[in-house]
Amino acid sequence: MPHSHHSHSGQFCKHASGSLEEVVLEAIHQQFQLYGLTEHVPRYRLVDLYPEEAGETTDSLAKQFERFLVEAHRLKTHYASQITILVGLETEYITGQDFDGLDSLLQKFGDRVEYVVGSVHHVDGIPIDFDQVTYERALHNFGDGETNAQEVFLSAYFDAQYQLLQRFKPEIVGHFDLCRLYTPDLRFLEYPSVWEKITRNVEYAIGYGALFEMNAAAFRKGWETAYPGKDILILNRGGRFALSDDSHGPRFVGLNYHRLLDYLHAQGITDIWLLQPSKTSNAAGRSIRPVKFDGEWLGHEFWHGRPTQA
């Protein structure tokens, strides 16, 4: 039975679909063993809201996140005999205010937030995964026509990621190379200063015990691989991987997990890891730890029934 550590629902995320319970029921239907519910944390400036969030306020986003935690824990209890549900969150980093807000949120809710998916979706305050036009605006923000604009853009992304890793020590490193969403053929080795930052980030995350997600959402975004791409050196440095579908509604649960299996095989990954509650605190002070999955996952029976397209 497969796992996922990263998901969203239309109930608590405007660019997703379906209710949180529908997502859980689909995961049960597909015989998931473990499923993580990780809605986005609130944003703290009106300028950072997306077009589909017209009419929302920063206060309403904060209340929405609180409702998510209530519903997620209800589902965790209600379906405990059928599936293991973990309740976490996915980070944002737009300005320093987001980090301060996350600090306050984690203090407020304590162990009701069981783990953190550490993700970066903005560079220099501009979204990089909304659409290609906005992505290119973020890139050009570092200079039009300058040969090093791409390198400076990528460096800014991995510097933001490093700050996130240092401050919150997320248990799951989310879509590590989202910064090349619209340029999947880009190779980081062509930018030596960027490669140094990638190496730094990978080694730091490994050092405190993070898991790197193998995120199947890249396939539905047109990639031939999952996130991270083939050139990331995580495995060579002893990094450990967890599975994520990054679903945005019930029809995306388990999407392209067949392709994810093939990709894992191709990358020589023989072990997968998952999170489970722990009686002792981890490096971030949360009561959860990574464990190696001790069942059979290399055969297709582990992935049976996974949908391959939305």
Side-chain angles (χ1 to χ4, degrees), residues 216-255:
F219 292 115
R220 63 179 165 86
K221 298 295 182 73
W223 283 35
E224 294 300 318
T225 72
Y227 306 117
K230 296 177 181 179
D231 57 339
I232 300 297
L233 71 167
I234 295 167
L235 184 61
N236 293 340
R237 303 283 169 150
R240 302 176 298 184
F241 294 94
L243 306 179
S244 291
D245 58 21
D246 197 355
S247 66
H248 279 61
R251 70 190 183 102
F252 298 104
V253 172
L255 184 65

Side-chain angles (χ1 to χ4, degrees), residues 140-185:
H140 295 153
N141 201 45
F142 293 93
D144 287 312
E146 295 183 17
T147 56
N148 68 340
Q150 182 76 74
E151 187 162 13
V152 177
F153 166 80
L154 296 172
S155 292
Y157 174 86
F158 286 112
D159 281 342
Q161 185 182 72
Y162 187 53
Q163 292 177 55
L164 172 64
L165 298 175
Q166 287 183 303
R167 186 154 174 180
F168 296 103
K169 295 181 172 58
E171 287 79 8
I172 302 289
V173 181
H175 39 60
F176 186 91
D177 51 351
L178 186 72
C179 56
R180 57 178 172 183
L181 170 59
Y182 295 103
T183 55
D185 294 329

Side-chain angles (χ1 to χ4, degrees), residues 186-243:
L186 182 149
R187 291 295 169 258
F188 294 123
L189 274 171
E190 296 177 7
Y191 305 95
S193 65
V194 174
W195 190 250
E196 289 179 7
K197 293 176 189 292
I198 290 172
T199 304
R200 172 198 64 190
N201 293 9
V202 168
E203 291 180 345
Y204 184 83
I206 290 172
Y208 73 76
L211 300 180
F212 297 84
E213 68 171 7
M214 273 291 177
N215 186 319
F219 292 115
R220 63 179 165 86
K221 298 295 182 73
W223 283 35
E224 294 300 318
T225 72
Y227 306 117
K230 296 177 181 179
D231 57 339
I232 300 297
L233 71 167
I234 295 167
L235 184 61
N236 293 340
R237 303 283 169 150
R240 302 176 298 184
F241 294 94
L243 306 179

Side-chain angles (χ1 to χ4, degrees), residues 255-280:
L255 184 65
N256 287 315
Y257 262 33
H258 280 104
R259 296 182 68 183
L260 187 59
L261 170 63
D262 293 338
Y263 183 56
L264 291 166
H265 272 299
Q267 298 309 298
I269 295 171
T270 57
D271 296 324
I272 56 174
W273 295 70
L274 62 154
L275 295 176
Q276 73 173 24
S278 172
K279 293 182 179 179
T280 58

